[in-house]
Amino acid sequence: MHKLAIINPMAHKQSSQPRLSPSGYEEDIQQVLAPRLAYFAAVARHEHVTRAAHELAVPQSTLSRAMVRLEEDLGVALFARKGRTVSLTPAGRTFLTTVERALAEVERAADSVRADADPATGKVAFGFLHTMGSETVPSLIRAFRVDHPRVRFQLVQNYGEAMIERLRAGDLDLCLTSPIPTAPDLMARRLDEQRLRLVVPDDHRLAGRKRVRLAEAADETFVTLEPGYGLRRITDDLCAEAGFRPKVAFEGEEAETLRGLVAAGLGVALLPPPAVARPGVVELTVTAPRAVREIGVAWLDGHPDTPPVAAFKRFLLSRRGHLLPGVAEGVTG
């Protein structure tokens, strides 16, 4: 009757010195153990080194050495050996349970990134301003999906600076933003421009007008978006160009909330046109200075595009000058 020999990894050559250093243990264990986990799982599954080597398409000697090194690195015997046949020790069974979970997670992660990059059914992480959400972005996606009906979208609404940070963090592939960023680590293209109106209550002294110079509102109380929003910066810049600093009474996060505050008589605002006209306000064309905001698409420079992201980027660039539905004031030239 043959006895199974349990290999004592500490008896191997060089085993007196542990391979995993106490300092930087996590980094060492990833570099040393990770490449051998699939080898270990195959040997454990077949309980035979030759059959596992055939499945993995590696030389048997390479696989045998890898398993010995794995045991040496861990300082634990994982296999009991009988010729080319092996069986797991209790420590080996414990290790296998975790290894199989880890390999399954890696496989799921690989499947996920492959699925996201699929030209027909992949995913685009797309950010846009709140004011683009009710009409512009739904219209864009509907038009894009005529030729790409199964591409998926992860949609993120936020203000410009927050979206730029999410681009840099890798959370977004593309974003529609204003003003158009000029940072050296970003690429951006101007797509359209949108006229801003001076929105006043319907009982305001200017409500009977169709056009107004912004300087005529110098003494008014303004409601604006919070600092950090692109439209807030544009509002401040336009008022400065008109020769005054706006007196801000309320700051918010949504253009339609500001429109409601105007309707309640709490101030005036510079806003893009609404998707649906709101009662209680009058929207005046600003004749001076030229009150527009540029809309552009931005992405991280040097960041490779998956096929669905590249397709949507080409689509957006093809909409230059007619990005905004129902808006006549587009880019020319």
Side-chain angles (χ1 to χ4, degrees):
M1 182 174 181
H2 297 284
K3 294 183 179 180
L4 293 178
I6 297 180
I7 302 297
N8 179 0
M10 303 309 293
H12 287 293
K13 186 179 180 181
Q14 298 179 344
S15 62
S16 60
Q17 296 295 325
R19 295 183 183 276
L20 300 180
S21 62
S23 61
Y25 181 81
E26 289 186 1
E27 180 180 352
D28 284 350
I29 204 166
Q30 291 172 5
Q31 294 177 354
V32 171
L33 299 186
R36 302 182 191 142
L37 296 184
Y39 285 5
F40 168 74
V43 174
R45 183 168 58 253
H46 288 286
E47 296 189 333
H48 197 282
V49 176
T50 302
R51 288 196 290 269
H54 180 73
E55 177 190 300
L56 296 167
V58 299
Q60 177 184 321
S61 59
T62 298
L63 186 57
S64 295
R65 285 195 300 271
M67 292 302 94
V68 170
R69 287 286 301 276
L70 178 60
E71 291 177 309
E72 290 178 349
D73 291 331
L74 290 173
V76 175
L78 300 175
F79 296 105
R81 290 164 171 81
K82 179 183 176 183
R84 293 176 182 174
T85 301
V86 298
S87 60
L88 289 170
T89 66
R93 286 193 292 272
T94 298
F95 191 54
L96 177 63
T97 299
T98 301
V99 167
E100 287 178 330
R101 284 200 299 266
L103 293 174
E105 284 297 321
V106 170
E107 185 174 356
R108 280 192 288 271
D111 290 342
S112 177
V113 296
R114 282 195 294 263
D116 288 348
D118 186 276
T121 61
K123 184 181 74 173
V124 178
F126 182 44
F128 51 93
L129 301 170
H130 290 285
T131 51
M132 303 277 104
S134 63
E135 189 173 6
T136 300
V137 168
S139 297
L140 288 172
I141 293 176
R142 180 179 58 196
F144 175 74
R145 283 170 65 91
V146 170
D147 295 322
H148 304 83
R150 294 190 294 161
V151 168
R152 297 170 289 121
F153 282 84
Q154 177 187 347
L155 301 177
V156 175
Q157 288 180 272
N158 217 320
Y159 64 98
E161 289 183 8
M163 285 194 296
I164 297 305
E165 289 309 307
R166 295 194 69 169
L167 274 181
R168 291 186 171 119
D171 297 333
L172 293 177
D173 299 309
L174 303 164
C175 70
L176 281 184
T177 189
S178 177
I180 299 172
T182 58
D185 61 332
L186 301 175
M187 295 292 291
R189 295 290 182 271
R190 181 175 184 260
L191 296 179
D192 217 332
E193 67 178 26
Q194 187 176 44
R195 288 198 175 275
L196 303 178
R197 279 87 176 266
L198 182 67
V199 184
V200 302
D202 59 8
D203 59 355
H204 191 270
R205 63 181 178 86
L206 297 174
R209 304 264 296 274
K210 292 184 177 180
R211 296 174 179 81
V212 66
R213 290 178 296 108
L214 188 56
E216 296 179 72
D219 295 329
E220 299 292 335
T221 296
F222 276 73
V223 296
T224 70
L225 295 179
E226 294 176 350
Y229 283 70
L231 188 56
R232 171 60 180 269
R233 192 193 328 167
I234 293 170
T235 296
D236 290 344
D237 289 347
L238 288 172
C239 290
E241 190 175 347
F244 70 96
R245 182 176 181 176
K247 298 188 291 288
V248 177
F250 297 94
E251 294 175 336
E253 298 179 347
E254 292 274 356
E256 287 312 301
T257 299
L258 300 186
R259 210 171 245 106
L261 293 173
V262 172
L266 299 176
V268 302
L270 275 173
L271 295 174
V276 178
R278 183 186 184 109
V281 300
V282 175
E283 314 230 350
L284 308 176
T285 299
V286 178
T287 58
R290 187 168 184 266
V292 299
R293 67 169 179 172
E294 294 183 330
I295 309 293
V297 58
W299 62 91
L300 197 61
D301 189 19
H303 186 77
D305 293 332
T306 63
V309 171
F312 190 57
K313 182 189 292 182
R314 288 193 300 270
F315 169 79
L316 290 175
L317 295 174
S318 76
R319 304 283 292 196
R320 184 176 184 269
H322 50 96
L323 179 79
L324 306 172
V327 177
E329 301 89 0
V331 177
T332 59

